[in-house]
Amino acid sequence: MERPTQQVEFETMLLGRHSHLSPRGRREGGLDRSAYILLSRLGVEGPMTIGQLSEAFGLDASTLNRQTAAMTKAGLLERIPDEGGGIARKFRVTAEGGRALEHERAEIVGGLETVLADWSEEDVAAFAGYLQRFNGSIERISGRPWPRP
């Protein structure tokens, strides 16, 4: 490959095909990708309105309405009044949603620990740092920073 960015493209393409390593690719009943990401965001940032979620994810409100409706029906989210008043409602992770998120996250971390078992702690930390830097660059360009715990 002529440029390192071509190798980054190739390796991220390969990474995307390894979905079978995640619990979502191995079992039924786990959170789908959009639910996992949305619950993660609400878990870090706290309750958000459809408008705030739309801005955060760069998605149309109708898409988020469908996702949040399904997650509310499944008991993962609940609608609460906006403490700022007005008619806006916010979505908050339910206790069941929090348990599902933590279970999914534990499974994903377990899978990563298997994959990285023969890496040194220093290598894993360096890799995590590069991923955070990479994601931070994307967030800076898109204007949509992701809050970190």
Side-chain angles (χ1 to χ4, degrees):
M1 297 189 186
E2 291 179 27
R3 298 187 324 260
T5 51
Q6 290 174 311
Q7 187 175 1
V8 170
E9 178 278 327
F10 185 79
E11 294 300 332
T12 56
M13 178 273 300
L14 289 177
L15 184 61
R17 73 180 260 282
H18 295 301
S19 63
H20 66 283
L21 295 174
S22 77
R24 293 180 300 282
R26 292 194 310 255
R27 65 176 167 79
E28 290 294 319
L31 295 173
D32 67 25
R33 179 180 172 273
S34 62
Y36 181 75
I37 294 170
L38 200 143
L39 288 172
S40 293
R41 180 66 180 245
L42 292 172
V44 172
E45 193 154 331
M48 298 173 74
T49 65
I50 285 290
Q52 291 168 324
L53 289 168
S54 178
E55 176 64 28
F57 288 103
L59 294 173
D60 186 77
S62 64
T63 299
L64 286 158
N65 275 319
R66 285 190 299 277
Q67 291 175 351
T68 56
M71 293 171 66
T72 300
K73 184 177 180 183
L76 303 173
L77 292 178
E78 62 185 348
R79 291 183 71 134
I80 60 170
D82 185 349
E83 64 279 355
I87 61 170
R89 307 279 288 174
K90 288 190 172 188
F91 288 93
R92 174 173 64 192
V93 178
T94 63
E96 182 179 342
R99 284 189 296 274
L101 177 61
E102 290 311 310
H103 181 265
E104 192 86 4
R105 183 166 284 136
E107 293 225 358
I108 292 169
V109 169
L112 287 169
E113 287 171 347
T114 300
V115 170
L116 301 169
D118 61 345
W119 289 37
S120 71
E121 274 190 53
E122 294 80 15
D123 284 349
V124 174
F127 182 58
Y130 283 125
L131 283 174
Q132 184 174 359
R133 182 177 173 190
F134 182 76
N135 282 324
S137 293
I138 293 169
E139 293 162 14
R140 179 182 45 76
I141 291 166
S142 72
R144 290 191 179 89
W146 189 277
R148 286 170 170 74

